[in-house]
Amino acid sequence: MTSEPTFTTEVYIQSTPERVLDFLADLSEHDKIHPLIVSVEKLDLPDEKFQRYRITDRVPMGPFKIKAVYEADIWRTADGNLQSIARQSPGIVLHNTTTATPKGDGTLLCEVVSVKAPSLLREFTLRQARESHQKMFERVKAYLESE
């Protein structure tokens, strides 16, 4: 049995860990920072332990962009970090663990993402996720440091 591929994204941000995690915990603004997301809709849930969102991406495939709609759940862990799970057909699941650690006068933001996808889509999904999350972290840094 093979393990799911993972990748790690890190960036130093001159902001507090609390501000960084608060900003990332609300996915409703992620269309401004995530390069693939075009819209985000917060869904109403009777359980307040996590937030669920319906997200629409435009995923580049050669000269075309394919619309992808999926759901993502996000919640704070007992230690204050973030966990999220995004589920998309056909059988694609991204699990994120995001931490914000004080460093100097700012924060080291770190995200570890595991990618589960059908074998024919695994490398494509991993590459798209890694590239888009790197760009997203750069945009989070620029946004929070400009406040």
Side-chain angles (χ1 to χ4, degrees):
M1 181 176 183
T2 59
S3 64
E4 296 171 354
T6 64
F7 65 90
T8 301
T9 307
E10 289 185 341
V11 68
Y12 174 80
I13 301 175
Q14 289 186 312
S15 185
T16 66
E18 296 80 17
R19 175 64 183 124
V20 172
L21 290 176
D22 285 348
F23 179 72
L24 289 173
D26 181 5
L27 299 186
S28 63
E29 296 294 320
H30 279 221
D31 60 329
K32 295 176 177 71
I33 58 169
H34 193 292
L36 301 181
I37 295 176
V38 293
S39 69
V40 179
E41 175 190 359
K42 188 174 181 180
L43 303 176
D44 290 328
L45 295 174
D47 183 350
E48 295 183 13
K49 295 178 183 171
F50 64 91
Q51 299 296 317
R52 178 167 290 161
Y53 297 84
R54 181 174 297 119
I55 300 171
T56 303
D57 283 357
R58 293 273 185 232
V59 180
M61 294 189 89
F64 304 103
K65 289 195 176 187
I66 306 299
K67 179 181 176 179
V69 179
Y70 59 96
E71 289 186 354
D73 298 337
I74 189 164
W75 64 95
R76 294 274 183 145
T77 62
D79 57 5
N81 293 312
L82 297 175
Q83 292 282 321
S84 66
I85 297 176
R87 297 167 308 283
Q88 178 183 343
S89 182
I92 298 170
V93 179
L94 273 64
H95 181 244
N96 301 28
T97 301
T98 305
T99 59
T101 307
K103 182 174 181 183
D105 62 349
T107 298
L108 178 62
L109 177 62
C110 179
E111 173 187 62
V112 178
V113 179
S114 68
V115 177
K116 178 181 176 185
S119 59
L120 292 174
L121 294 173
R122 190 171 299 123
E123 286 304 314
F124 174 79
T125 303
L126 182 64
R127 184 176 65 252
Q128 288 293 319
R130 183 184 299 124
E131 291 172 3
S132 64
H133 283 236
Q134 182 62 47
K135 289 178 185 170
M136 180 180 74
F137 269 38
E138 292 167 8
R139 292 175 178 177
V140 169
K141 176 181 175 66
Y143 178 84
L144 291 177
E145 289 183 352
S146 70
E147 288 187 320

